[in-house]
Amino acid sequence: MVVDKKYKIATLASHSALQILKGAQQEGFETVAVCIKGREQPYKQFKVADKIISIKDFDEFEGIQEQLIKENAIIIPHASFIAYMGFERIEKLKVPYFGNKKILHWESDRSMERKWLKAAGLKLPKIFEKPEDIDRPVIIKFHGAGGGKGYFLAKNYKDFKKKIKLHAGKGYVIQEYILGVHMYAHYFHSPLTGETELMGFDKRYESNVDSLGRISARDQMALPQEQVDPSYVIVGNMPLVVRESYLPRFIRKGENVVKESKKIASPGLFGPFCLETIMTPEEDIITFEISARIVAGTNPYVNGSPYSWLRYNEPMSTGRRIAREIKLAIEKNNIDKVLS
Ligand code: AMP
Ligand code: AMP
C-alpha cells in the first residue's frame, strides 16, 4: 500500500526513537529525527532517519516547529520528550501530535492518575498521606519523571524522618512498598477499531537495586549505608513472557483503563500505553503507575514481541504499530481521529 507521501513521522531522538522511526519507514513514511547536537550518531548509523534536524537544547524545540509543520510531520511523543518538554509546553505545540494531549495532565499528576486507575478497578499500592501513619515498608517517590532517581525505602516514621532530610524541598509521595515481581504490560489502543491490543511485557534493569542480590546480606552489612541503600535508576529493559493464564486479567485491565479514560479526557487514551505492575506471591496484580504513551520497555521488540507475532504474523513493533495506525487513518480519511 502506498502511503500519502505528504505526511512524515518525526520524534525526538532518544528513548524509543530508533524503534519509532524504523517502524515508520517500514510502513512507508519518511522520517525526521530531532536531535540534540552531538547525539546524531545512532540515528545515522542505524539509518532510521531520512532527515535530522539538530537543536542545541530542548528549549529550541518551538523554534523548529514551523519547519516540522512545513515538512508535514506528525510528532510521536515518548517519555524523554515529555520529561524534557513538560506537558504545559507540549499542550501548546501546533505541530500535529499522535495521541490525546489531554491525557498528559492525568498521567503527570499522581493524585489524578490514581483516581483514574482506581475508577478503572485496578488494585493500587496504599498511599500514606501523613508520614506519621507509616505502618509498613514504604517507598518514597519524588514528583516528575526522573527515572527513579533518589527514591528511597523506609521501614517506619523514624527511618523516614532521617532519610527525607537529604531531600529537603522536594515534592514526594509515600507509597506502600510491594514485594513481588515487576511486570510492565504494553498495550496499543486503536481508536479506529476500538480494540485494546496486548503488545508485550518487559522487566526493568535498575541501578543499584538489581545488583544488591549479587552480594550476600553479610557483605551488604559491611558496606557503607549509602552504597547499599537501594536506588532505582533505570538503565535498560529486558523482555518478558508471562504465564499464559495471567493474560485474561492483563487484557481486561488495559480495556478498563481505556474505558475509564473516555470519561475523564474525551476521546480517551489511544495509541501505546503501559501498566506498571507488581505480581505478589498471592498472584495479586498491583498497578503502581501508568505510562500513557510508548514505553522504552517495547525496545527489545524492534522485530515484534511473541504476542505481536501471534497476532500479526509479521514483525510488528509498537513503533510500527503507531505508523500502521496513522497509515490506516490516512487511508480512511480519518487522520483527525489519531491526532491532537
Ligand atoms: P534520556 O532521554 O535517556 O535522558 O531519558 C529521559 C527520561 O526519560 C528519563 O529520566 C526517564 O524518565 C525516561 N526514560 C528514558 N529511558 C527510559 C527507560 N528505558 N525506561 C523508563 N523510562 C525511561
Ligand atoms: P516509577 O518512577 O513509579 O516508575 O518507579 C521506579 C521504580 O521504583 C520501579 O521500576 C520499581 O522498581 C520501584 N517501585 C515503584 N513503586 C513501587 C512500589 N510501590 N513497590 C515496590 N517498588 C516500587
Side-chain angles (χ1 to χ4, degrees):
M1 244 174 276
V2 182
V3 174
D4 185 336
K5 280 289 174 206
K6 283 197 319 230
Y7 284 102
K8 293 183 183 173
I9 301 286
T11 197
L12 194 69
S14 195
H15 190 264
S16 44
L18 289 170
Q19 183 202 152
I20 291 169
L21 300 173
K22 172 80 182 174
Q25 286 179 333
Q26 286 171 316
E27 293 298 301
F29 289 96
E30 278 187 42
T31 59
V32 182
V34 180
C35 276
I36 294 298
K37 265 197 189 92
R39 297 196 205 162
E40 294 91 348
Q41 206 48 31
Y43 307 92
K44 284 184 186 159
Q45 185 174 120
F46 299 120
K47 302 188 195 307
V48 294
D50 296 307
K51 181 170 194 160
I52 291 181
I53 301 176
S54 297
I55 54 179
K56 217 168 69 228
D57 59 47
F58 296 103
D59 293 345
E60 286 185 5
F61 191 85
E62 281 82 356
I64 56 145
Q65 247 208 118
E66 282 309 314
Q67 198 180 342
L68 288 175
I69 292 170
K70 253 195 223 133
E71 297 268 5
N72 240 327
I74 296 171
I75 190 101
I76 314 294
H78 50 60
S80 301
F81 184 63
I82 293 164
Y84 294 135
M85 296 279 293
F87 78 91
E88 287 97 347
R89 270 172 79 196
I90 292 175
E91 276 174 347
K92 288 190 200 119
L93 290 180
K94 290 190 196 70
V95 57
Y97 171 99
F98 177 79
N100 177 2
K101 281 186 192 172
K102 281 188 252 167
I103 284 288
L104 289 176
H105 196 49
W106 284 85
E107 186 208 24
S108 63
D109 180 317
R110 281 194 207 273
S111 60
M112 285 170 79
E113 178 189 56
R114 199 171 165 83
K115 228 161 82 189
W116 170 18
L117 298 182
K118 253 198 167 152
L122 303 192
K123 277 195 184 172
L124 312 177
K126 185 178 162 61
I127 296 282
F128 292 89
E129 301 294 346
K130 291 191 288 197
E132 294 84 346
D133 295 342
I134 296 173
D135 63 359
R136 64 192 85 180
V138 290
I139 179 165
I140 288 74
K141 301 161 80 166
F142 297 100
H143 295 319
K149 210 169 184 171
Y151 290 5
F152 66 89
L153 304 188
K155 53 180 188 242
N156 51 34
Y157 177 48
K158 197 168 150 219
D159 194 26
F160 168 86
K161 263 202 316 197
K162 195 173 87 197
K163 292 175 176 167
I164 196 71
K165 279 188 191 139
L166 299 171
H167 303 275
K170 283 199 222 161
Y172 59 82
V173 63
I174 306 172
Q175 225 176 55
E176 168 187 15
Y177 187 82
I178 308 290
L179 208 52
V181 292
H182 291 219
M183 302 156 107
Y184 293 73
H186 319 144
Y187 302 87
F188 187 95
H189 180 75
S190 165
L192 302 176
T193 66
E195 198 184 341
T196 307
E197 302 166 21
L198 186 63
M199 297 296 290
F201 295 87
D202 76 293
K203 57 181 269 192
R204 288 181 172 184
Y205 204 35
E206 294 168 329
S207 191
N208 63 0
V209 73
D210 285 315
S211 68
L212 288 177
R214 294 170 61 103
I215 46 175
S216 70
R218 188 199 58 205
D219 289 339
Q220 290 184 24
M221 305 271 279
L223 285 170
Q225 188 70 34
E226 323 77 77
Q227 279 181 33
V228 286
D229 268 343
S231 58
Y232 300 85
V233 177
I234 175 91
V235 294
N237 306 79
M238 293 173 276
L240 178 70
V241 173
V242 308
R243 247 168 91 169
E244 200 159 308
S245 55
Y246 295 155
L247 296 182
R249 281 201 283 161
F250 274 107
I251 292 171
R252 223 173 304 126
K253 281 179 202 304
E255 288 173 345
N256 288 345
V257 163
V258 170
K259 205 157 112 199
E260 204 50 42
S261 73
K262 293 183 180 165
K263 299 183 199 156
I264 58 171
S266 172
L269 172 63
F270 64 84
F273 67 98
C274 170
L275 293 179
E276 308 187 359
T277 73
I278 300 173
M279 170 82 75
T280 68
E282 293 75 34
E283 295 179 275
D284 266 341
I285 300 171
I286 314 291
T287 306
F288 62 93
E289 200 85 62
I290 182 169
S291 293
R293 26 111 199 130
I294 187 169
V295 286
T298 60
N299 285 340
Y301 305 122
V302 172
N303 208 31
S305 75
Y307 302 95
S308 73
W309 178 253
L310 287 167
R311 185 190 169 96
Y312 285 97
N313 242 345
E314 61 180 325
M316 185 59 67
S317 68
T318 294
R320 185 172 184 181
R321 185 64 189 83
I322 294 171
R324 175 73 56 94
E325 192 76 1
I326 294 172
K327 187 161 107 177
L328 290 175
I330 293 167
E331 281 164 9
K332 291 188 172 163
N333 236 338
N334 234 342
I335 189 73
D336 288 343
K337 245 189 156 163
V338 300
L339 303 179
S340 66

